Structure formats: C-alpha cells, structure tokens
C-alpha cells in the first residue's frame, strides 16, 4: 500500500462516526424534531377542540372533544378571506420576484472587486443592519414622500430588500462565481446585464432559492405593514384580516355584558381559543407545504453564502 493510501485510510478513522455516537446524535435530532413538531400538534389539536373542552380541561396534545366550529367560523367569512387570500398571494408572488431581482443584482455588483464604489456601497448596505432609522422616519417616507399609503405597494416595497439578504448574495457570488468566467465573457463583448442574466443567475440557483424562501416567508407572514399603511379593508392581506377577526372576537367577548341578549349569545357561541389556533394553522400550512421543495437549495445557498465575509 502506498504512503498516500495509508494517509487517507488514517484520515478515514478520524472521520468515521462510532455506532454509539451515531445513535446519540440520532436521538438528539429526534428530540429536537419533536420539540418543533409537538407545538404544531398542540395548535392543531386546540383548533379542532370545542370551547367547552378547552375551558374545562385546558390544552391537550389530542382533542378531548372534536369540534369544527373554529374552521366553520373562518369559512363563514369566506368572501373577505378569499379576497384577502388573493392580496396575500399577489403580494407574496410579486414581492418575492421583485425582491430576488433587486437583492441578487445588488449582491452581484458588490461582489465585483473592480467596482469603484464597492467599499462605499458595502458600508451603505451594512450600516442599516446595526443602526435602524426607526418607525417614524420609515412611516413618513413611505406614506408622505412616496405616497404608498392605501396601495398594494405599501405591502411590497418596504420588505423587498434587506441588508442581510444582500450580504448573503454578495458572499455567495464572491466565493462561487470565478473571476475568470466574468472576464472571459467581457472579452467576448458581453455587457454586465447579459453576464448577470445569462451566466451568473443560471448557476446561482441555491442562493436564488434561499433569498426567495426568506422573502416568501416574510411576505406571507407579514401583517404589520397592513396595520401601518392600509385603511381600506379590500387591501388587507390574509394575515392582517385574520388578526383583525381575532381582535374583533376579543372585543366582542370583553363587551358581552353591555350588549343585548342576542349579541351576548353570539359571543358565547363564538370560538375564541380554537379560532386563534385555526388562524395559525391556516397561515402555517401553505409555508409548510412549500418548504420541502426549497430545502435542498435553501441549505446549500445558506451554507455557501456564509463561508466567507
């Protein structure tokens, strides 16, 4: 056996995991998976439980008394919910595409070492990660200067680009795209836009999926922008509408004593805890279904983009 083969076999001994250690790691990962899964099962169980069973017995991992009142209550608000669902899908789709294009293009520009404004723009991108301008300034700019109030763009533009995502893209492009590839394309007469769209993006699927997943989660789960900038209920996103429904349920429950008998009976029959959990399930399920399709690219892009600063 050659010396190199002996050296490699020696390294294999250090890289090999012992059965006991492997079992321990598997048990740890199973425990961590259960810690993530059990709360979801509890939320699902509460959403399928009757209010009386929750009031008398508290929360359980499995429903003690099945009831679909919470989901029936959401279905009864069908027209509003379908309209809000359309807004959420539109905002998530347009926002994710726009955010991916803006973030990757900015990250690519900052990754080119021969760009003269590289240092200045890198600081401009980095500083907002440490110092935030605050809510008042952003609200004034978005509402008064840009005139985004009560428009769908108020739900899209504020979340389209973040410094964290730009830095991930910059690191990915810098550590993955060879300078020789860009230089050869420039010698052939390709413009920077042609290089970016025809060469860089097709070989950058991991970072595209990673940034796309980040943005998709952010847009889908966002309700804060609606609370700030949207007064027209026709522009409410799904999360904002469901949050409003929950607020109305709480308001009715707290004021039941001063209402008429019919209103008090209506409030008494309304699902409260179960409706909250049903709302959480409605919001989480689409993201949970989409995540497995992005997982491979998500992990690859995040780890490659985090190797070098």
């Amino acid at each position: 056996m050659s010396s190199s083969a002996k050296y490699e076999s020696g390294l294999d001994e250090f890289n090999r995991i012992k059965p006991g250690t492997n079992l321990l790691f598997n048990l740890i990962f199973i425990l961590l998976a259960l810690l993530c899964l059990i709360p979801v099962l509890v939320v699902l169980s509460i959403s399928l439980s009757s209010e009386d069973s929750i009031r008398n017995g508290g929360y359980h991992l499995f429903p003690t008394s099945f009831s679909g009142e919470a989901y029936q209550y959401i279905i009864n608000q069908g027209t509003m919910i379908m309209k809000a669902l359309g807004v959420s899908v539109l905002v998530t789709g347009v926002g994710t595409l726009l955010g991916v294009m803006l973030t990757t293009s900015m990250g690519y520009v900052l990754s080119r070492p021969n760009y003269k404004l590289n240092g200045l723009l890198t600081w401009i991108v980095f500083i907002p990660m440490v110092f935030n301008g605050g809510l008042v300034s952003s609200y004034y700019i978005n509402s008064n200067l840009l005139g985004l109030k009560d428009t769908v763009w108020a739900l899209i533009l504020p979340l389209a680009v973040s410094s964290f995502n730009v830095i991930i893209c910059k690191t990915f492009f810098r550590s993955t795209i060879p300078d020789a590839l860009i230089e050869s394309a420039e010698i052939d007469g390709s413009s920077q836009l042609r290089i970016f769209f025809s060469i860089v993006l097709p070989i950058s699927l991991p970072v595209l999926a990673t940034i796309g997943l980040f943005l998709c989660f952010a847009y889908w789960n966002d309700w804060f922008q609606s609370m700030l900038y949207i007064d027209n209920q026709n522009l409410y996103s799904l999360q904002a509408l469901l949050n409003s429904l929950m607020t109305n349920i709480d308001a009715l429950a707290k004021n039941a004593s001063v209402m008429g008998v019919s209103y008090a009976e209506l409030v008494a029959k309304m699902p409260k805890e179960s409706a909250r959990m049903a709302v959480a399930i409605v919001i989480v399920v689409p993201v949970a279904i989409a995540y497995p399709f992005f997982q491979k690219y998500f992990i690859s892009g995040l780890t490659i983009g985090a190797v070098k600063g």
Side-chain angles (χ1 to χ4, degrees), residues 11 26 45-46 80 111-112 120 138 166 175 182 193-194 200 209 215 223 260 267 270 288 293:
L11 291 178
N26 288 332
S45 171
I46 297 170
M80 290 189 302
S111 69
R112 296 301 93 203
L120 174 63
S138 62
V166 172
S175 60
I182 306 299
L193 285 177
R194 178 68 180 274
V200 175
L215 290 170
W223 57 269
V267 171
M270 274 187 176
F293 297 99

Side-chain angles (χ1 to χ4, degrees), residues 26 64 69 97 144 150 207 230 278 305 309:
N26 288 332
T64 56
E69 293 178 358
L97 291 176
N144 295 359
D150 263 341
V207 77
I230 303 300

Side-chain angles (χ1 to χ4, degrees), residues 89-100:
V89 171
L90 174 65
V91 168
T92 301
V94 174
T96 300
L97 291 176
L98 180 63
V100 167

Side-chain angles (χ1 to χ4, degrees), residues 7 23 40 72 75 84 90 96 106 111 125 146 152 157 169 180 191 207 241 251 296-297 302 309:
Y7 178 74
L23 176 62
V40 178
Q72 185 63 44
I75 292 173
L90 174 65
T96 300
M106 186 179 296
S111 69
V125 170
L146 300 179
V152 72
L157 295 182
C169 288
S191 64
V207 77
L241 177 62
K296 179 179 70 174
Y297 295 112
L302 193 60

Side-chain angles (χ1 to χ4, degrees), residues 84-85 87-88 91 155 222-223 226 235-242:
L85 178 62
V87 172
S88 288
V91 168
L155 306 178
D222 178 65
W223 57 269
S226 296
L235 295 178
Y236 271 11
S237 64
L238 179 62
Q239 290 71 21
L241 177 62
L242 296 180

Side-chain angles (χ1 to χ4, degrees), residues 24-250:
L24 177 61
F25 284 164
N26 288 332
L27 292 176
I28 292 175
F29 289 135
I30 291 173
L31 177 61
L32 293 176
L34 290 176
L35 291 176
C36 297
L37 182 61
I38 288 176
V40 178
L41 294 179
V42 172
V43 170
L44 180 61
S45 171
I46 297 170
S47 71
L48 294 173
S49 300
S50 65
E51 285 294 321
D52 291 336
S53 66
I54 297 173
R55 191 180 302 111
N56 298 329
Y59 298 161
H60 294 87
L61 184 60
F62 299 101
T64 56
S65 176
F66 281 94
S67 175
E69 293 178 358
Y71 293 97
Q72 185 63 44
Y73 174 76
I74 294 178
I75 292 173
N76 290 339
Q77 314 297 325
T79 302
M80 290 189 302
I81 288 181
M82 290 305 297
K83 188 180 295 183
L85 178 62
V87 172
S88 288
V89 171
L90 174 65
V91 168
T92 301
V94 174
T96 300
L97 291 176
L98 180 63
V100 167
M101 292 308 303
L102 293 175
T103 303
T104 52
S105 59
M106 186 179 296
Y108 171 72
V109 170
L110 296 180
S111 69
R112 296 301 93 203
N114 55 351
Y115 181 55
K116 294 182 179 180
L117 298 179
N118 196 328
L120 174 63
L121 293 182
T122 298
W123 277 108
I124 291 176
V125 170
F126 175 74
I127 288 175
M129 292 184 62
V130 182
F131 303 101
N132 195 306
L135 180 60
V136 174
S137 59
S138 62
Y139 181 84
Y140 178 80
I141 291 173
N142 292 329
S143 297
N144 295 359
L145 295 183
L146 300 179
L148 300 180
K149 191 170 179 64
D150 263 341
T151 67
V152 72
W153 292 108
L155 306 178
I156 296 176
L157 295 182
L159 302 179
V161 178
S162 74
S163 299
F164 178 74
N165 291 344
V166 172
I167 290 176
I168 287 181
C169 288
K170 174 191 173 182
T171 307
F172 179 90
F173 290 138
R174 188 70 194 129
S175 60
T176 306
I177 308 299
D179 292 337
L181 181 63
I182 306 299
E183 292 171 359
S184 62
E186 291 175 347
I187 292 173
D188 291 337
S190 298
S191 64
Q192 289 297 330
L193 285 177
R194 178 68 180 274
I195 294 173
F196 179 67
F197 285 106
S198 300
I199 298 177
V200 175
L201 290 186
I203 60 177
S204 302
L205 291 181
V207 77
L208 293 178
T210 301
I211 301 303
L213 196 62
F214 281 160
L215 290 170
C216 185
F217 285 175
Y219 280 115
W220 182 258
N221 294 321
D222 178 65
W223 57 269
F224 189 64
Q225 307 301 319
S226 296
M227 186 189 73
L228 287 178
Y229 303 113
I230 303 300
D231 294 328
N232 183 2
Q233 291 192 358
N234 291 326
L235 295 178
Y236 271 11
S237 64
L238 179 62
Q239 290 71 21
L241 177 62
L242 296 180
N243 180 66
S244 177
L245 291 177
M246 292 302 95
T247 303
N248 292 336
I249 288 175
D250 288 339

